[in-house]
Amino acid sequence: DGGITQSPKYLFRKEGQNVTLSCEQNLNHDAMYWYRQDPGQGLRLIYYSQIVNDFQKGDIAEGYSVSREKKESFPLTVTSAQKNPTAFYLCATELYNEQFFGPGTRLTVL
Amino acid sequence: SQKIEQNSEALNIQEGKTATLTCNYTNYSPAYLQWYRQDPGRGPVFLLLIRENEKEKRKERLKVTFDTTLKQSLFHITASQPADSATYLCALDMRTGNTGKLIFGQGTTLQVKP
């Protein structure tokens, strides 16, 4: 099966802890993206990567970090510097202007 | 900065009718405009892309129009079905290279009643 997997589906974190969200794809797409979605709001771009070992900040990168060491993987770390991390996080790949989204990870800070 | 607006109120229609969703934007027109469907708790799914030089695009029961003068896109679902109930997201494609940013609207929730 080709697709995008995100894990875990639900994640709970205590304040002050860093947490890493996984995103893996076997679509062989070069471009990968991380978005954040809050209730009643559109998706907001956190980071994106066009190629291995390269990534760019999106509109709301503060408090987040990423790596792109392999084509298949684009993990997102939510650091303690992110003041309001509770949200639904979506990973996506892209081919010919069409974005393909994973199932999402819902992060809740306790 | 570029802004995009979709009707935040839910749209309720009867099965069999045509649903029309609106996407308005400010400032300059994007190269492309995309529509996605999102079901609760899931990632969006791509539906249609329309280019700035295209007035209309169709796919099965879906039709999208793009008016760069009005700075508006309309998304139509004909012969709507309860299975069409979902949130529909409009996205402006502001890329200048091969990849880049999509700016998403907040989405409009459609409820089709049997």
Side-chain angles (χ1 to χ4, degrees), chain A residues 32-33 45-50 54-57 74, chain B residues 99-100:
Chain A
M32 296 187 73
Y33 298 78
L45 182 64
I46 305 173
Y47 269 98
Y48 65 102
S49 169
Q50 299 181 31
D54 184 59
F55 49 83
Q56 288 79 40
K57 292 182 179 180
F74 191 38
Chain B
T99 58

Side-chain angles (χ1 to χ4, degrees), chain B:
Chain B
S1 62
Q2 188 74 318
K3 291 185 180 180
I4 180 170
E5 289 186 3
Q6 295 183 255
N7 192 340
S8 59
E9 293 184 9
L11 178 62
N12 295 294
I13 65 168
Q14 206 67 32
E15 182 177 8
K17 300 294 185 182
T18 296
T20 299
L21 285 68
T22 304
C23 174
N24 294 298
Y25 60 92
T26 60
N27 300 330
Y28 47 93
S29 291
Y32 312 98
L33 193 146
Q34 302 186 22
W35 284 88
Y36 288 78
R37 168 184 172 141
Q38 187 175 26
D39 291 285
R42 306 188 73 168
V45 175
F46 173 83
L47 295 175
L48 281 167
L49 178 152
I50 187 166
R51 293 174 172 77
E52 60 179 335
N53 60 351
E54 295 177 316
K55 297 295 183 187
E56 180 180 299
K57 199 156 194 181
R58 293 175 184 260
K59 179 183 177 182
E60 298 174 350
R61 294 184 297 111
L62 309 180
K63 184 179 84 170
V64 172
T65 62
F66 192 7
D67 189 326
T68 56
T69 301
L70 292 178
K71 296 186 178 180
Q72 181 180 80
S73 175
L74 298 178
F75 177 80
H76 307 273
I77 305 176
T78 59
S80 59
Q81 305 166 0
D84 295 326
S85 298
T87 296
Y88 292 86
L89 305 173
C90 170
L92 306 184
D93 191 330
M94 307 305 298
R95 70 193 67 231
T96 55
N98 291 328
T99 58
K101 298 182 182 180
L102 287 182
I103 302 174
F104 283 86
Q106 78 273 32
T108 298
T109 298
L110 172 66
Q111 187 72 34
V112 181
K113 299 184 178 183

Side-chain angles (χ1 to χ4, degrees), chain A residues 40-97:
Chain A
Q41 295 192 34
L43 280 64
R44 292 184 290 168
L45 182 64
I46 305 173
Y47 269 98
Y48 65 102
S49 169
Q50 299 181 31
I51 198 167
V52 174
N53 293 322
D54 184 59
F55 49 83
Q56 288 79 40
K57 292 182 179 180
D59 299 318
I60 56 165
E62 185 176 353
Y64 300 97
S65 66
V66 294
S67 63
R68 186 83 186 276
E69 297 176 0
K70 298 186 300 181
K71 188 175 187 177
E72 299 80 17
S73 179
F74 191 38
L76 173 74
T77 296
V78 185
T79 74
S80 57
Q82 170 50 234
K83 298 306 178 188
N84 296 295
T86 294
F88 188 47
Y89 290 87
L90 288 158
C91 177
T93 67
E94 184 178 69
L95 185 67
Y96 302 130
N97 301 107

